[in-house]
Amino acid sequence: MFSSDSTLDKKTEKKTGSSRDPLRTRALLLNTAFAEVYRSSFQATGLDRILEKAKVTKGALYHHFASKEELGYAIVDEVITGITLRKWVNPLADTADAIDTLIDIVQGTSLTATDVEKGCPLNNLAQEMSPVDEGFRKRVGRVFRLMIGSVSSALLEGQKRGQVRPEIDPEETATFFIATYEGYLGLAKNAQDPGVLRSGIRTMTSYLEGLRTRHA
Amino acid sequence: MFSSDSTLDKKTEKKTGSSRDPLRTRALLLNTAFAEVYRSSFQATGLDRILEKAKVTKGALYHHFASKEELGYAIVDEVITGITLRKWVNPLADTADAIDTLIDIVQGTSLTATDVEKGCPLNNLAQEMSPVDEGFRKRVGRVFRLMIGSVSSALLEGQKRGQVRPEIDPEETATFFIATYEGYLGLAKNAQDPGVLRSGIRTMTSYLEGLRTRHA
């Protein structure tokens, strides 16, 4: 009786995790996979570890994602794209002042030791996977273009409003700025030192201030 | 007779590769290992592949390097440090004008498709190995500090000569510049597009021009 109850419980638990609320299970798998990949790279992350952390069965995983690659692609298309929309695209789309918003974004970068040591989730996948998997490379490239495009549009809009120096090229300036931002996250990841990023935030802020129109 | 000759040949070949000219064998191993790691990351590179490419025996390898890690550390300490000395430190140490030399270095960046796709050998190891191996992390950090230190010293010297704007902080500006340079190599590696780097060279050149003292 006790034993059969316990079996029933397990079955119920599995059902909850796999088919009762499939969207919730899918989101749980994605977020768990994102955290594991962010912590220890895509290639070093085993599916078993993700299943163990998410407490989801292999059957449920394969119901949502055909392979480890498909799960990885969804991390880029959904989780990392979502972060990029919230952090860059949305604030820049509504802003009354592109430079103010870019400075807010830079100054909002996490300086906790664990975040600094992990680097940028997008750039980590870019550096690890671009040479070995076209599917990752193209998806990551799409997110970089989304990020750069949103900075570029905001700078152009700032030029129209007379807030951003008219002589700069918005697209090239946006690319320069994102390269710098990613470069700093990479240096800080190697140094495991929030001080590197703190100095970067200061220097990127003066760089951004220098893009404002100079009123004589 | 034929068969025994062939055996003798093999022995002679092995001896040449392993003990006749140990320094040459060591250099051959290091350069081959560097090329393989640059092409496909440290963790994905097998020792067998290096031995096959270098035509060196496993015995000779272990004579020079106690483990794959030791070989990897020597890639950073010797090959990559050597590249950094030749590309950054030496030209900046003797220069009469730091900005001119930095522009030369930036404009000398290889734009061939294969180099662009591989990214920066130092930053690749920084991003791959910093979270998983302290030995790599510290060695790579030392090379970054060498690079940033040499740019910083040259900028300070430029300030003393009145060529570089006195209000900039040499160390923070050097770090900003190296972050940007590495960031561009990373974006171009993901895009597999020399055009990204060409735009970067243009934008980094104007950034560097902007560091010159403005004479009224």
Side-chain angles (χ1 to χ4, degrees):
Chain A
M1 188 61 177
F2 186 81
S3 136
S4 106
D5 268 353
S6 149
T7 310
L8 260 174
D9 277 358
K10 265 198 185 154
K11 271 189 186 159
T12 320
E13 200 184 307
K14 271 192 188 167
K15 230 178 172 178
T16 314
S18 64
S19 61
R20 277 271 175 85
D21 192 347
L23 284 179
R24 205 179 142 270
T25 305
R26 191 176 181 285
L28 177 66
L29 275 167
L30 262 182
N31 291 327
T32 309
F34 167 76
E36 287 302 307
V37 168
Y38 188 21
R39 210 170 56 86
S40 55
S41 91
F42 179 74
Q43 291 170 97
T45 300
L47 284 181
D48 287 346
R49 173 132 192 104
I50 296 168
L51 296 177
E52 192 192 308
K53 285 260 173 175
K55 296 189 177 62
V56 166
T57 62
K58 195 163 266 185
L61 172 74
Y62 284 113
H63 171 73
H64 292 291
F65 304 100
S67 63
K68 189 185 164 193
E69 277 62 41
E70 292 299 324
L71 176 60
Y73 296 165
I75 290 175
V76 182
D77 290 341
E78 301 179 41
V79 186
I80 298 181
T81 300
I83 295 171
T84 307
L85 289 170
R86 285 192 299 279
K87 181 169 171 180
W88 298 87
V89 182
N90 299 345
L92 285 167
D94 313 326
T95 184
D97 187 312
I99 307 292
D100 285 349
T101 303
L102 285 169
I103 291 174
D104 283 349
I105 294 173
V106 165
Q107 297 193 343
T109 305
S110 167
L111 287 166
T112 65
T114 42
D115 285 342
V116 167
E117 284 173 24
K118 287 186 292 187
C120 166
L122 178 64
N123 201 32
N124 289 351
L125 284 173
Q127 302 313 308
E128 180 192 0
M129 300 306 291
S130 295
V132 295
D133 187 302
E134 256 323 83
F136 267 107
R137 189 182 76 76
K138 289 189 171 159
R139 282 168 172 86
V140 166
R142 207 183 289 149
V143 185
F144 274 133
R145 285 196 302 279
L146 178 70
M147 221 161 136
I148 292 170
S150 79
V151 176
S152 172
S153 303
L155 290 174
L156 181 65
E157 184 58 32
Q159 286 180 320
K160 288 183 189 157
R161 294 181 190 193
Q163 296 162 331
V164 173
R165 284 161 51 193
E167 72 276 22
I168 67 153
D169 179 300
E171 177 78 17
E172 292 211 325
T173 305
T175 310
F176 179 88
F177 173 70
I178 295 299
T180 308
Y181 186 81
E182 294 295 352
Y184 266 117
L185 290 182
L187 289 180
K189 173 181 167 180
N190 168 255
Q192 296 188 351
D193 178 6
V196 172
L197 210 48
R198 210 173 288 122
S199 143
I201 289 172
R202 211 160 43 228
T203 328
M204 286 187 279
T205 300
S206 358
Y207 171 75
L208 290 168
E209 290 288 0
L211 298 180
R212 293 192 201 269
T213 308
R214 293 196 191 96
H215 296 287
Chain B
M1 191 58 179
F2 187 80
S3 135
S4 103
D5 267 353
S6 149
T7 310
L8 260 174
D9 277 359
K10 264 196 186 155
K11 272 188 185 159
T12 319
E13 200 184 306
K14 272 190 187 166
K15 229 177 172 176
T16 314
S18 64
S19 60
R20 278 270 175 83
D21 192 347
L23 284 180
R24 205 178 142 270
T25 304
R26 191 176 182 284
L28 177 67
L29 274 167
L30 262 182
N31 290 326
T32 310
F34 167 75
E36 288 301 307
V37 168
Y38 188 20
R39 211 170 56 85
S40 55
S41 92
F42 180 73
Q43 291 170 98
T45 299
L47 283 181
D48 288 345
R49 171 129 193 109
I50 296 168
L51 296 177
E52 191 192 306
K53 284 260 173 176
K55 296 189 177 61
V56 166
T57 62
K58 194 162 267 184
L61 172 74
Y62 283 113
H63 172 72
H64 292 290
F65 305 99
S67 63
K68 188 184 164 193
E69 277 62 43
E70 290 300 324
L71 176 59
Y73 295 166
I75 290 176
V76 182
D77 290 341
E78 302 180 40
V79 186
I80 298 180
T81 300
I83 294 172
T84 307
L85 290 169
R86 285 192 298 280
K87 181 170 173 180
W88 297 88
V89 181
N90 299 345
L92 285 167
D94 313 327
T95 185
D97 187 312
I99 306 292
D100 285 348
T101 303
L102 286 169
I103 290 174
D104 284 348
I105 294 173
V106 165
Q107 298 193 342
T109 305
S110 168
L111 288 166
T112 65
T114 42
D115 285 343
V116 167
E117 285 173 25
K118 285 186 294 189
C120 167
L122 178 63
N123 200 33
N124 288 351
L125 284 173
Q127 302 312 308
E128 180 192 1
M129 300 306 292
S130 295
V132 294
D133 187 301
E134 259 318 88
F136 267 105
R137 188 182 77 76
K138 289 188 171 159
R139 283 170 172 86
V140 166
R142 207 183 289 150
V143 186
F144 274 132
R145 285 195 302 278
L146 178 70
M147 221 161 137
I148 292 170
S150 79
V151 176
S152 171
S153 304
L155 290 174
L156 181 65
E157 185 57 33
Q159 285 180 322
K160 287 182 189 157
R161 295 181 189 195
Q163 297 162 328
V164 173
R165 284 160 53 193
E167 72 276 20
I168 67 153
D169 180 299
E171 178 79 17
E172 292 211 325
T173 305
T175 310
F176 180 89
F177 174 70
I178 294 298
T180 308
Y181 186 80
E182 294 295 352
Y184 266 117
L185 290 183
L187 289 181
K189 174 180 167 181
N190 168 255
Q192 294 189 352
D193 179 5
V196 172
L197 209 49
R198 210 173 289 121
S199 144
I201 290 173
R202 210 159 43 226
T203 327
M204 285 187 280
T205 301
S206 1
Y207 171 76
L208 290 167
E209 289 289 359
L211 299 179
R212 293 191 200 271
T213 308
R214 293 196 192 97
H215 294 287

